[in-house]
Amino acid sequence: MSRAIILGGSRGIGKAISESLKSIEIDVFAASRKDVDTSNLDSVKNFVKVHDQTDILVLNTGGPPPKEFMNIDEEDWNKYHRQLFLGFCIVLQNIKVNDDGYIFLISSSVIKEPNSKLIVSSAYRAAFSEVFKIISKDYAAKNISCINIAPGLINTNRTKEVVENIEEHKKSLPMKRLGEPEEIGNFVKAIIENKIKYLSGVVINFDGANSSFIF
Amino acid sequence: MSRAIILGGSRGIGKAISESLKSIEIDVFAASRKDVDTSNLDSVKNFVKVHDQTDILVLNTGGPPPKEFMNIDEEDWNKYHRQLFLGFCIVLQNIKVNDDGYIFLISSSVIKEPNSKLIVSSAYRAAFSEVFKIISKDYAAKNISCINIAPGLINTNRTKEVVENIEEHKKSLPMKRLGEPEEIGNFVKAIIENKIKYLSGVVINFDGANSSFIF
Amino acid sequence: MSRAIILGGSRGIGKAISESLKSIEIDVFAASRKDVDTSNLDSVKNFVKVHDQTDILVLNTGGPPPKEFMNIDEEDWNKYHRQLFLGFCIVLQNIKVNDDGYIFLISSSVIKEPNSKLIVSSAYRAAFSEVFKIISKDYAAKNISCINIAPGLINTNRTKEVVENIEEHKKSLPMKRLGEPEEIGNFVKAIIENKIKYLSGVVINFDGANSSFIF
Amino acid sequence: MSRAIILGGSRGIGKAISESLKSIEIDVFAASRKDVDTSNLDSVKNFVKVHDQTDILVLNTGGPPPKEFMNIDEEDWNKYHRQLFLGFCIVLQNIKVNDDGYIFLISSSVIKEPNSKLIVSSAYRAAFSEVFKIISKDYAAKNISCINIAPGLINTNRTKEVVENIEEHKKSLPMKRLGEPEEIGNFVKAIIENKIKYLSGVVINFDGANSSFIF
């Protein structure tokens, strides 16, 4: 039986991935904020002492509330630098992913279309995506696939906090709806279940045809 | 039971997709070159008269042999303009994809990293990817997902024709191997089987972590 | 004194480039539609017999009127395949650009953000951009720089034809105005005048901060 | 007379930009590391108290020495987070750029093709590029152009430190040479001199046709 560690696994997209993986008999550790707070590096260091090995790793965490550039202060930058970037780096440096494994990064569509309301998230999620891309080549040598899923608007509590007047907003989306967390959960499950390995080093926009750029 | 039309369905990646979809009880029409030759527009027009409706459509066709830019003549351009671009446009204009369906385009990683040996393929596959992106927004309104899979080097007869000294080449790849057609076949199957719909309007590089660009 | 051939040089952006280059004593041949019609391959072949060598080449041509995908017919595709793609290929195969020269392609911002009203243009301009990228590496060996300028909305007669209610549209643009053809003309001039050569193999969006993608 | 503040203005690319702008009678403050150390936020805060306004701002700084991912420690991340990201944010939050001005960011081609030797630089330069993209839209309303220049290998002391066996490496480049700092200096000068404003919100690869991606 394979083992999975899922950060931010107690709610939203992380929870949906946890449920999907459990349904195919994977031994899932769905880490909640109580288990590890990626904005707190001591918490991360303690976590990786205990959870130091896995077959499947899902890097997932929420972002900050919307804030305009001029109002973002040093403390904001540093906190989310830790939460969205540095904590994940420490996780990757310390948790051994077993050969033939998988690492999924749940980033955001803002890495390709940065958003003025989500400027902190756009910046640090993009930064970590660069790291993830680079190391995907090293992991490939061990047949470990690295897949960066960049969701658009997904039907989670977080989205309700970030987007005002969500019913109105839906009408502007090509599918007239938000994505469901289960779609991402099942997507992750399907890749693992079908032993798809050659999909790696890739950013996959998951946004219901909403983006406008070609690549 | 759902129905699928798979162009180029008798060999390589197309065949692997056909086999995968048959395994989940989809009624597959795997079109061979005898059924439809996308480089011949009359052939395409006849084909779409008979096959005018489907739940799942896979746009897939081989490309031209390698040729340097200075040696490509008008006939080459026109032939592959039909095969890689125009034939697919006619297919989309004439085959009705049912609501809640799927359209997969099997393009190539050369659309993002164009290749001097595959210049014709780079050009026209990119051109059709633009069309596919645009219309993905229209299809989204009918809950039809449009997914552009851009394979790197896949273990098919075609690849053996295009790449010299393939064993040597493998060593330069991050995974030290080509992709298997079944990985793409199973990927397509998994998306359909799990009713993943919010993945749409997206280009998915499928290249074993070989590309160097971030997005 | 350097010589320049500017296709579509009698109006709009092409004319502005012609004027700018003339101002720095370049011997400009500003080709109008009477001199060469890139949608007519015989016209192109005749043109390149006479104009078979240059220091600076500017590939520039208008696009088709807006048309929805379902209404585009074979004749439309073929005409603009010639005008936006094939004619330029023949030009590049037959006009010798002298060492240390420049080739500018005036494409469009739709190559990166394809537009449902400009689907033909999005497709074939992207296709030619792929060709241009590939051959930029060959030209680089002769110190010839290849620069693809992708304009957003520029204040030309063509834009007035394509965009309805242009005054209203301006308000939605970050700079609250269209770009001026002279800005592109002067940009081209400035690169040549300053002998900037290392800028090559690049697509430069020229759209007044309007695009939303990061790269 | 216009005024310019150029960070990292005493050597390499920054120095070349300083020299170019001086040649067109711009009043240049070429800040050296003694004037401001962007890795030290107190230094940055003191600097922006004195230099609180400008017409032209050039954000430019060196990056860290090459280091493998597994060897990068918290202190490295934090130092270059400040140097490549946070210092620039504070600069933008505190230096007023006058209407009709220019902001240039000198980033690196690694933001689009991240490099395993320059992982810290790839990450934080990409992060800041996201911020720069977002705020380019705000600056556009004041007719301030934001231009992100992403150089490939440029002939500076820094490059000699980063690239081993540079003569050998040159042979692999399309132009068989490094870029010259003066080419970037003159490019910046030319844009200002010609009052080109519609070029904004854009990343311009400046790499001698070396990159392989199309966009």
Side-chain angles (χ1 to χ4, degrees):
Chain A
M1 189 197 270
S2 295
R3 284 188 306 165
I5 296 170
I6 301 177
L7 302 184
S10 64
R11 46 180 293 193
I13 296 171
K15 187 178 179 185
I17 297 173
S18 298
E19 299 302 328
S20 281
L21 296 196
K22 283 175 189 169
S23 78
I24 53 168
E25 309 298 317
I26 288 171
D27 181 13
V28 173
F29 185 86
S32 73
R33 201 131 189 201
K34 283 177 195 165
D35 298 303
V36 58
D37 172 359
T38 53
S39 76
N40 177 331
L41 299 188
D42 287 332
S43 164
V44 175
K45 286 171 197 166
N46 285 327
F47 181 79
V48 298
K49 270 182 209 154
V50 181
H51 301 274
D52 61 352
Q53 193 172 321
T54 189
D55 300 300
I56 298 158
L57 177 63
V58 179
L59 301 168
N60 171 56
T61 183
K67 210 168 187 179
E68 294 292 324
F69 177 65
M70 292 304 285
N71 300 328
I72 302 170
D73 60 26
E74 222 175 299
E75 202 183 311
D76 295 324
W77 293 119
N78 281 321
K79 177 178 175 187
Y80 291 101
H81 175 236
R82 292 192 301 271
Q83 180 164 332
L84 297 170
F85 182 84
L86 207 39
F88 285 172
C89 288
I90 292 173
V91 165
L92 284 181
Q93 287 176 329
N94 289 282
I95 295 183
K96 182 182 186 300
V97 178
N98 297 324
D99 288 9
D100 308 315
Y102 288 93
I103 311 176
F104 291 89
L105 169 64
I106 310 302
S107 62
S108 163
S109 62
V110 298
I111 61 175
K112 288 172 96 166
E113 293 193 320
N115 185 306
S116 66
K117 286 187 182 168
L118 300 174
I119 194 163
V120 175
S121 192
S122 303
Y124 293 129
R125 289 192 194 277
F128 188 73
S129 295
E130 300 268 340
V131 172
F132 196 59
K133 174 77 186 187
I134 290 169
I135 59 172
S136 70
K137 291 183 184 273
D138 296 323
Y139 281 115
K142 302 180 198 172
N143 202 33
I144 296 164
S145 300
C146 295
I147 299 170
N148 182 343
I149 298 175
L153 286 178
I154 304 299
N155 186 21
T156 62
N157 289 330
R158 160 114 183 114
T159 298
K160 286 167 200 156
E161 288 160 32
V162 172
V163 183
E164 290 170 41
N165 205 342
I166 215 158
E167 290 308 315
E168 202 54 39
H169 193 80
K170 281 182 191 174
K171 294 177 194 164
S172 73
L173 297 173
M175 290 193 171
K176 312 300 176 201
R177 66 168 180 99
L178 307 182
E180 291 300 323
E182 290 70 27
E183 289 177 280
I184 297 180
N186 287 331
F187 183 65
V188 169
K189 181 202 75 175
I191 288 167
I192 294 169
E193 197 177 15
N194 287 281
K195 296 189 175 59
I196 295 161
K197 301 297 314 182
Y198 217 61
L199 184 71
S200 189
V202 67
V203 177
I204 301 178
N205 240 47
F206 205 103
D207 74 346
N210 192 43
S211 71
S212 293
F213 53 78
I214 178 68
F215 296 138
Chain B
M1 190 197 269
S2 295
R3 285 190 305 167
I5 296 170
I6 301 176
L7 302 185
S10 65
R11 47 181 290 194
I13 296 170
K15 187 178 180 187
I17 298 173
S18 297
E19 298 302 326
S20 280
L21 297 196
K22 282 176 191 169
S23 79
I24 54 168
E25 309 299 320
I26 288 172
D27 181 14
V28 173
F29 185 86
S32 74
R33 201 134 189 197
K34 283 178 195 164
D35 298 303
V36 58
D37 173 359
T38 53
S39 76
N40 178 332
L41 299 187
D42 287 333
S43 163
V44 175
K45 287 170 197 168
N46 285 328
F47 181 79
V48 298
K49 270 182 210 155
V50 181
H51 302 273
D52 61 353
Q53 193 172 322
T54 189
D55 300 301
I56 298 157
L57 177 63
V58 179
L59 300 169
N60 171 56
T61 183
K67 210 168 187 180
E68 293 292 323
F69 177 66
M70 292 304 284
N71 299 329
I72 302 170
D73 61 25
E74 222 175 300
E75 202 182 311
D76 296 325
W77 292 120
N78 280 321
K79 176 178 176 188
Y80 291 102
H81 174 235
R82 291 192 302 271
Q83 179 163 331
L84 298 171
F85 182 83
L86 207 39
F88 285 172
C89 289
I90 293 173
V91 164
L92 284 181
Q93 287 176 329
N94 289 282
I95 295 184
K96 182 181 184 300
V97 179
N98 297 323
D99 289 8
D100 309 314
Y102 288 93
I103 311 176
F104 291 90
L105 169 64
I106 310 303
S107 62
S108 163
S109 61
V110 298
I111 61 174
K112 288 172 97 166
E113 294 193 320
N115 185 308
S116 67
K117 287 189 182 166
L118 300 173
I119 194 162
V120 175
S121 192
S122 303
Y124 294 129
R125 289 191 194 276
F128 188 73
S129 295
E130 301 267 339
V131 172
F132 196 60
K133 174 78 186 187
I134 291 169
I135 59 172
S136 71
K137 291 182 184 274
D138 296 323
Y139 281 115
K142 303 181 198 171
N143 202 31
I144 296 164
S145 299
C146 294
I147 299 169
N148 183 342
I149 298 175
L153 285 178
I154 305 297
N155 186 21
T156 62
N157 289 331
R158 160 112 183 114
T159 297
K160 286 168 201 156
E161 287 159 32
V162 172
V163 183
E164 290 171 43
N165 203 342
I166 214 158
E167 290 307 315
E168 202 55 37
H169 193 80
K170 281 182 192 174
K171 294 177 193 163
S172 73
L173 297 173
M175 290 192 171
K176 312 300 176 201
R177 66 168 179 99
L178 308 183
E180 290 301 322
E182 290 70 27
E183 289 177 280
I184 298 179
N186 286 331
F187 183 65
V188 169
K189 181 201 75 174
I191 289 167
I192 295 169
E193 196 176 17
N194 287 281
K195 297 188 174 58
I196 295 161
K197 300 297 316 181
Y198 217 63
L199 184 71
S200 189
V202 65
V203 177
I204 300 178
N205 240 47
F206 205 104
D207 73 347
N210 192 43
S211 70
S212 293
F213 53 79
I214 178 68
F215 296 139
Chain C
M1 188 196 270
S2 296
R3 286 188 305 166
I5 296 170
I6 301 176
L7 303 185
S10 65
R11 47 180 295 194
I13 296 171
K15 188 179 181 187
I17 298 173
S18 298
E19 298 302 326
S20 280
L21 298 196
K22 283 175 190 169
S23 79
I24 54 168
E25 309 299 317
I26 288 170
D27 181 13
V28 173
F29 185 86
S32 74
R33 199 128 190 202
K34 283 177 197 166
D35 299 302
V36 58
D37 172 1
T38 52
S39 75
N40 177 331
L41 299 187
D42 286 333
S43 163
V44 175
K45 287 171 197 167
N46 285 328
F47 181 80
V48 298
K49 271 182 208 152
V50 182
H51 301 273
D52 61 352
Q53 194 172 321
T54 189
D55 300 301
I56 299 157
L57 176 63
V58 179
L59 300 169
N60 171 56
T61 183
K67 210 169 188 179
E68 294 292 325
F69 177 64
M70 292 304 285
N71 300 328
I72 302 169
D73 61 24
E74 222 175 300
E75 201 182 312
D76 295 325
W77 293 119
N78 280 320
K79 177 178 176 188
Y80 291 101
H81 175 235
R82 292 192 301 272
Q83 179 163 331
L84 298 170
F85 183 84
L86 207 40
F88 285 173
C89 288
I90 293 173
V91 165
L92 284 182
Q93 287 176 328
N94 288 282
I95 295 183
K96 182 182 185 301
V97 179
N98 297 323
D99 289 7
D100 308 314
Y102 288 93
I103 312 176
F104 291 90
L105 169 64
I106 310 302
S107 62
S108 164
S109 61
V110 298
I111 61 175
K112 287 172 96 166
E113 293 193 321
N115 185 308
S116 65
K117 286 187 182 168
L118 301 172
I119 194 162
V120 175
S121 193
S122 302
Y124 293 129
R125 290 191 193 277
F128 189 72
S129 295
E130 300 268 339
V131 172
F132 196 59
K133 174 78 187 187
I134 290 170
I135 59 173
S136 70
K137 290 182 184 274
D138 296 322
Y139 282 114
K142 302 179 198 173
N143 202 32
I144 296 164
S145 300
C146 295
I147 299 169
N148 182 342
I149 298 174
L153 286 177
I154 304 299
N155 186 20
T156 62
N157 289 331
R158 159 116 183 111
T159 297
K160 287 167 200 155
E161 288 159 31
V162 172
V163 183
E164 290 170 41
N165 203 342
I166 214 157
E167 289 309 314
E168 201 55 35
H169 193 80
K170 280 181 191 174
K171 294 176 194 165
S172 73
L173 296 173
M175 289 191 170
K176 312 298 176 202
R177 67 168 179 98
L178 307 183
E180 291 300 323
E182 290 71 26
E183 289 177 279
I184 297 178
N186 285 332
F187 183 65
V188 169
K189 182 202 75 175
I191 289 167
I192 295 169
E193 197 177 16
N194 287 283
K195 297 189 175 59
I196 295 161
K197 300 296 315 181
Y198 217 61
L199 184 71
S200 189
V202 66
V203 176
I204 301 178
N205 239 48
F206 205 104
D207 73 346
N210 192 43
S211 70
S212 293
F213 53 79
I214 178 69
F215 296 137
Chain D
M1 188 197 271
S2 295
R3 285 188 305 166
I5 296 170
I6 301 176
L7 303 185
S10 65
R11 46 180 292 192
I13 296 171
K15 188 178 180 185
I17 297 173
S18 298
E19 299 302 328
S20 281
L21 297 195
K22 283 175 189 168
S23 78
I24 55 168
E25 308 300 317
I26 287 171
D27 181 13
V28 173
F29 185 86
S32 73
R33 199 128 190 203
K34 283 176 194 164
D35 298 302
V36 59
D37 173 359
T38 53
S39 75
N40 177 333
L41 299 188
D42 286 333
S43 164
V44 175
K45 286 170 196 168
N46 285 327
F47 182 79
V48 298
K49 272 182 207 153
V50 182
H51 302 273
D52 61 353
Q53 194 172 322
T54 190
D55 299 301
I56 298 158
L57 176 62
V58 179
L59 300 169
N60 170 56
T61 183
K67 211 169 187 178
E68 293 293 323
F69 177 65
M70 291 305 284
N71 300 328
I72 303 170
D73 61 25
E74 222 175 299
E75 201 182 312
D76 295 325
W77 293 120
N78 280 320
K79 177 178 176 186
Y80 291 101
H81 175 236
R82 292 191 302 270
Q83 179 162 332
L84 298 170
F85 182 83
L86 207 39
F88 285 173
C89 288
I90 292 173
V91 164
L92 285 182
Q93 287 176 329
N94 289 282
I95 295 183
K96 183 183 184 300
V97 179
N98 297 323
D99 288 8
D100 308 314
Y102 288 92
I103 310 176
F104 291 90
L105 169 64
I106 309 302
S107 62
S108 164
S109 61
V110 299
I111 61 175
K112 287 171 97 166
E113 293 193 322
N115 185 307
S116 66
K117 286 187 182 169
L118 301 173
I119 194 162
V120 175
S121 193
S122 302
Y124 294 129
R125 290 191 194 277
F128 189 72
S129 294
E130 300 267 339
V131 172
F132 197 59
K133 174 78 187 188
I134 291 169
I135 59 173
S136 70
K137 290 183 184 273
D138 296 322
Y139 282 114
K142 303 180 197 172
N143 201 31
I144 296 165
S145 300
C146 295
I147 298 169
N148 183 341
I149 298 175
L153 285 178
I154 305 298
N155 186 20
T156 62
N157 289 331
R158 159 115 182 112
T159 297
K160 286 168 200 153
E161 288 159 31
V162 172
V163 183
E164 290 170 43
N165 204 343
I166 214 157
E167 289 310 314
E168 201 55 36
H169 192 81
K170 281 182 190 174
K171 294 177 194 165
S172 72
L173 296 173
M175 290 192 170
K176 313 298 176 203
R177 67 168 179 98
L178 307 182
E180 290 301 321
E182 290 70 27
E183 290 177 279
I184 297 178
N186 286 331
F187 183 66
V188 169
K189 181 202 73 174
I191 289 167
I192 295 168
E193 198 176 16
N194 286 282
K195 297 188 176 57
I196 295 160
K197 301 295 316 180
Y198 217 62
L199 184 71
S200 190
V202 66
V203 176
I204 301 178
N205 240 48
F206 204 104
D207 74 348
N210 192 43
S211 69
S212 293
F213 54 80
I214 178 68
F215 296 138

